[in-house]
Amino acid sequence: VAGRWHDRLDDPLKRLRDSAADPHPRVRLETIVAVSDVPHAASIVIASQAADGPPDRFIDFALTLAIHGLAEHWKPALIAGELKFAKSGHLTHVVSTYGGAELKPIIRQRAADHTMLTAYASLATTAEVDWVLERGSGDVTVIRALEQAARERNLKPSRNAPAKLIKALDDKLNPARLAIIHLCSQWRLQPTVMRIKRIALDEKEPQ
């Protein structure tokens, strides 16, 4: 009702935003379907929130329909830098579902924003790994996004990745060091092995 009667209600998105966090998947599914009828950029943000939770093929299908059905509203907002997702993973999923190649240049232009850089890391190619590491080697979520991309879609490391990651590991104050170790392991970067062993054995290293 909130979706189809959105033009008759005061702030229909608020009603749907509340139901997007409901623990019951049926309620969240209905939220995605309803918000798909509200022609607003923020609708896709709410739909993405409602899709959080254990895998559900009905919710996934409804979100895919929402992403394409609402594209004429959220794409201009994304280009203008006005679209704010609760999680970087939401943006990544929306962009990759719609077609990452078309929107990646827009995300790259806004990579100074943490969420945008994380999304770009999730969509990166091997040729773009160096660019991501130069900007996000100290960001835990960016490094985790690269690891997930390596694990789920077999993203390969760039030629310079070992040297860049070793440099990042040498910074004892880098909050992403543990994530970097996991990424090195996922990529099986032999040149980083000795440095990681020294970290493990150094009693003065931060715990």
Side-chain angles (χ1 to χ4, degrees):
V1 174
R4 294 184 180 181
W5 287 10
H6 63 87
D7 56 342
R8 310 179 200 178
L9 299 173
D10 292 330
D11 199 0
L13 290 180
K14 183 182 184 305
R15 298 168 183 259
L16 293 168
R17 191 176 292 111
D18 293 341
S19 62
D22 195 281
H24 199 288
R26 177 64 182 270
V27 175
R28 291 186 285 109
L29 172 61
E30 292 175 349
T31 299
I32 297 172
V33 173
V35 82
S36 299
D37 288 329
V38 183
H40 195 286
S43 295
I44 197 61
V45 175
I46 296 172
S48 297
Q49 292 174 325
D52 273 344
D56 184 297
R57 62 191 180 95
F58 298 108
I59 286 178
D60 292 343
F61 181 67
L63 179 59
T64 297
L65 293 179
I67 289 170
H68 290 282
L70 293 166
E72 64 178 297
H73 305 290
W74 63 258
K75 279 178 59 181
L78 178 64
I79 293 171
E82 299 170 351
L83 196 62
K84 301 295 182 182
F85 287 88
K87 299 178 182 179
S88 58
H90 293 169
L91 171 61
T92 301
H93 183 77
V94 168
V95 172
S96 60
T97 298
Y98 182 78
E102 177 186 346
L103 297 172
K104 274 177 66 177
I106 298 168
I107 297 174
R108 179 167 175 145
Q109 290 174 3
R110 304 188 183 283
D113 179 89
H114 162 80
T115 300
M116 291 290 190
L117 181 57
T118 302
Y120 194 85
S122 298
L123 301 168
T125 64
T126 297
E128 296 162 335
V129 166
D130 286 351
W131 189 89
V132 172
L133 290 176
E134 287 166 4
R135 291 157 179 79
S137 62
D139 190 314
V140 174
T141 57
V142 170
I143 298 300
R144 286 177 177 169
L146 287 175
E147 183 197 358
Q148 182 176 2
R151 185 174 61 253
E152 295 183 356
R153 57 182 182 84
N154 200 29
L155 173 66
K156 299 295 185 182
S158 64
R159 182 177 180 180
N160 297 322
K164 291 182 179 297
L165 292 172
I166 288 173
K167 181 179 179 181
L169 286 170
D170 284 340
D171 180 3
K172 293 185 177 182
L173 298 180
N174 186 343
R177 292 177 94 201
L178 181 58
I180 290 172
I181 291 173
H182 288 305
L183 176 60
C184 291
S185 175
Q186 181 65 40
W187 272 339
R188 300 181 180 180
L189 298 180
Q190 191 62 30
T192 67
V193 171
M194 293 307 298
R195 184 66 190 94
I196 292 172
K197 285 183 177 179
R198 285 200 297 270
I199 292 174
L201 296 173
D202 190 345
E203 295 180 354
K204 296 181 181 179
E205 290 289 338
Q207 299 297 316

